[in-house]
Structures are given as C-alpha cells and as structure tokens.
Amino acid sequence: MRYYLVGNARGLGLTGWVRNRSDGSVECLVQGDRASIRQFLQAARTGPPLAQVDQVKTADAGHQPQLNGFEVRY
C-alpha cells in the first residue's frame, strides 16, 4: 500500500510521506492543492488490487514547508 500511495502522490505532484504503523495501519502526511489531495484520498480508499482498506481518516496537520517530494518513512 505504501508504494501504491507514493506513486499516486508523486503522479499528482503532492509532497509528504507514508509509513506503516505498528498496528498494521498506514499513516501519511500529504500536501498539495485540494483537487489533487481529493484524488489521492480516493486512491487511498480504493487501494491496490490486493489491499484491504477498511477506512480512511483525515485531519488537517497544517503546512509543513520542509517537505520536499513524497517518500516512504520507516
């Protein structure tokens, strides 16, 4: 799921990161224009073919100016 989201984010020109959490969920921080973020969230809700997405939660984290590109964090 992480690399699926990275590909989507980069293709949409978004910045941020994605990582696996210890409980098995995936967490990400995404920045960009609203239309691209909406497309990203739709992709997250669908997921890649073998993924099981139960829910997508969102929250406003404020602008993070130090972000450059979109990466996987460990």
Side-chain angles (χ1 to χ4, degrees):
M1 182 73 165
R2 289 175 301 159
Y3 293 100
Y4 171 79
L5 293 175
V6 168
N8 276 280
R10 289 178 180 169
L12 293 166
L14 299 170
T15 58
W17 51 262
V18 61
R19 66 180 170 201
N20 286 343
R21 297 178 50 159
S22 61
D23 65 2
S25 65
V26 175
E27 175 181 26
C28 58
L29 187 139
V30 182
Q31 293 186 152
D33 66 82
R34 288 183 188 270
S36 295
I37 291 173
R38 278 193 296 273
Q39 287 181 278
F40 176 85
L41 290 172
Q42 185 55 44
R45 287 180 184 98
T46 305
L50 298 178
Q52 177 184 340
V53 179
D54 295 323
Q55 70 181 158
V56 174
K57 295 180 184 179
T58 64
D60 188 343
H63 182 66
Q64 307 286 319
Q66 73 278 13
L67 294 176
N68 185 17
F70 201 93
E71 65 185 25
V72 172
R73 291 196 174 170
Y74 299 95

